[in-house]
């Protein structure tokens, strides 16, 4: 078994409404509670970082699967949103919705469109972050295929 270890250091010198910082090998940023949750909104926050982890894992997985399947795309972009419920003071990360847009050459065969649809779903089930969230956070994929 090969094991990969990722490291993060965090510093939070103040209280709830202050800010701190996190640092990894390739990311350094301020963090705080978002204004939507009555925080100062300095830097990023755990909700955005979870969404970022899920989105980057998904889009990289989908791109790799399309490449392995020899699907020639002109572009792949995506918007994602994280839905957080706050009920009676309990905060629950409910759902992540990915909206990938795959741009392919004009007039692809129906088989290519069907294969892209299958890969879009398979990528969500294969992504390490999606698998880690399974059972806790629903992840939905809404695919758009554009022809250029």
């Amino acid at each position: 078994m090969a094991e990969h270890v990722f490291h993060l250091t965090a510093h939070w010198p103040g209280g709830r409404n202050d800010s701190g910082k996190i640092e990894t090998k390739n990311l350094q940023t301020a963090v705080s509670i978002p204004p939507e949750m009555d925080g100062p909104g300095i830097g990023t926050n755990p909700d955005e970082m979870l969404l970022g982890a899920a989105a980057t894992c998904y889009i990289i997985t989908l791109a790799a699967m399309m490449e392995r399947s020899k699907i020639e795309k002109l572009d792949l972009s995506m918007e994602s949103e994280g839905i957080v419920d706050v009920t009676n003071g309990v905060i629950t990360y409910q759902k992540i919705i990915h909206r990938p847009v795959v741009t392919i050459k004009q007039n692809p065969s129906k088989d290519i469109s069907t294969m892209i649809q299958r890969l879009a779903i398979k990528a969500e089930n294969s992504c390490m972050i999606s698998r880690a969230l399974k059972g806790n956070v629903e992840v939905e994929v809404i695919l758009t295929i554009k022809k250029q």
Side-chain angles (χ1 to χ4, degrees):
M1 174 178 96
E3 186 177 82
H4 302 281
V5 178
F6 297 92
H7 296 276
L8 178 140
T9 58
H11 184 234
W12 194 274
R16 182 203 184 275
N17 285 322
D18 290 313
S19 66
K21 64 180 180 176
I22 61 167
E23 186 172 336
T24 66
K25 180 179 176 185
N26 294 302
L27 173 70
Q28 298 86 37
T29 188
V31 291
S32 72
I33 295 173
E36 296 86 352
M37 296 178 185
D38 299 322
I42 298 168
T44 190
N45 59 69
D47 308 282
E48 288 177 343
M49 289 191 301
L50 181 62
L51 180 61
T56 53
C57 184
Y58 175 80
I59 200 167
I60 291 168
T61 302
L62 178 56
M65 288 180 163
M66 289 177 66
E67 181 180 39
R68 281 194 299 272
S69 297
K70 307 274 191 264
I71 295 174
E72 292 186 33
K73 64 177 172 32
L74 299 174
D75 192 35
L76 172 59
S77 61
M78 188 171 75
E79 290 187 16
S80 296
E81 61 185 303
I83 299 166
V84 176
D85 178 62
V86 182
T87 303
N88 299 325
V90 177
I91 303 168
T92 305
Y93 212 114
Q94 280 188 317
K95 184 176 189 176
I96 292 173
I97 303 169
H98 297 307
R99 290 184 173 85
V101 177
V102 178
T103 304
I104 54 177
K105 291 180 180 173
Q106 192 70 4
N107 301 321
S109 70
K110 185 170 173 56
D111 291 344
I112 295 292
S113 294
T114 301
M115 184 182 285
I116 293 170
Q117 289 170 344
R118 268 190 262 130
L119 291 175
I121 293 166
K122 186 176 181 182
E124 190 272 315
N125 293 319
S126 301
C127 162
M128 175 180 71
I129 302 297
S130 294
R131 289 195 329 264
L133 296 173
K134 196 169 281 311
N136 292 306
V137 178
E138 179 186 350
V139 179
E140 180 181 352
V141 174
I142 301 170
L143 173 68
T144 300
I145 299 174
K146 286 185 174 180
K147 298 162 186 158
Q148 195 171 34

